[in-house]
Amino acid sequence: MSSVMRYSSEEIVWQEVPGETSLAYTITGCPVGCKGCHSVDTWPVGSGVELSPGRFSQRLYDYQGLITCVLFLGGEWHHEALLTLLSIARTHGLKTCLYTGLERVPTEIEKQLDYLKTGPWVARRGGLESRSTNQRFMDVKSGELLNVHFWD
Ligand code: SF4
């Protein structure tokens, strides 16, 4: 597996991580393969723009004072590269969040996270806004389940 992370979009988001202003990266090459995935166009490995540590650091300087968190939508399959970027984000005093379609991620990654969304997309269960979802949004340090913040 390539260690180079690439992304298809970079945007500021407010709803994906409750209470935070997040710089969100959609990482390409997701291998999970959920049926009904809304981001099939991001599946091809090697697509998108390279997210090198240098580029990432520059973006964090660009957004200094404007964001409180960095969100990676995928990327756990680039274990070392993700750890490097999470470490850079924390060095900048930012919180960190990962959305993964897996049920769990390696402990080394979890240790670098403030928030973690787990679970694949299952259409009949819905996403985080659904009370019957299979997905879990956690405060990693406290272990508190925060799904309630996504409900209307
Ligand atoms: S984890 Fe997310 S991006 Fe990956 S296949 Fe499932 S819904 Fe799509």
Side-chain angles (χ1 to χ4, degrees):
M1 189 70 72
S2 165
S3 63
V4 176
M5 287 178 75
R6 308 180 79 89
Y7 65 95
S8 61
S9 81
E10 175 200 62
E11 57 188 328
I12 302 291
V13 299
W14 288 271
Q15 294 185 342
E16 281 77 355
V17 187
E20 310 286 355
T21 301
S22 302
L23 178 61
Y25 287 96
T26 299
I27 304 302
T28 61
C30 180
V32 179
C34 303
K35 192 178 174 195
C37 169
H38 297 291
S39 308
V40 174
D41 57 312
T42 68
W43 283 7
V45 174
S47 62
V49 177
E50 182 176 344
L51 188 56
S52 66
R55 184 188 188 95
F56 181 61
S57 297
Q58 183 58 51
R59 297 308 277 155
L60 298 190
Y61 280 118
D62 293 343
Y63 283 107
Q64 197 164 14
L66 300 174
I67 57 172
T68 60
C69 184
V70 174
L71 165 62
F72 291 98
L73 299 158
E76 66 278 6
W77 50 91
H78 295 291
H79 187 119
E80 293 302 324
L82 179 60
L83 281 176
T84 298
L85 299 192
L86 290 171
S87 168
I88 291 171
R90 291 169 80 89
T91 301
H92 281 250
L94 296 166
K95 292 188 178 175
T96 54
C97 180
L98 172 68
Y99 271 44
T100 176
L102 304 177
E103 298 294 354
R104 57 182 54 212
V105 293
T107 308
E108 307 86 62
I109 291 179
E110 206 173 289
K111 279 184 181 165
Q112 296 294 328
L113 294 171
D114 293 289
Y115 305 102
L116 174 62
K117 191 282 299 180
T118 57
W121 166 253
V122 179
R124 68 186 160 73
R125 304 284 299 273
L128 289 171
E129 73 293 343
S130 165
R131 295 179 191 223
S132 60
T133 189
N134 58 297
Q135 300 182 333
R136 297 166 61 81
F137 187 97
M138 309 275 301
D139 179 315
V140 174
K141 301 290 178 300
S142 69
E144 187 183 356
L145 187 64
L146 300 177
N147 285 39
V148 64
H149 294 288
F150 293 85
W151 300 345
D152 287 334

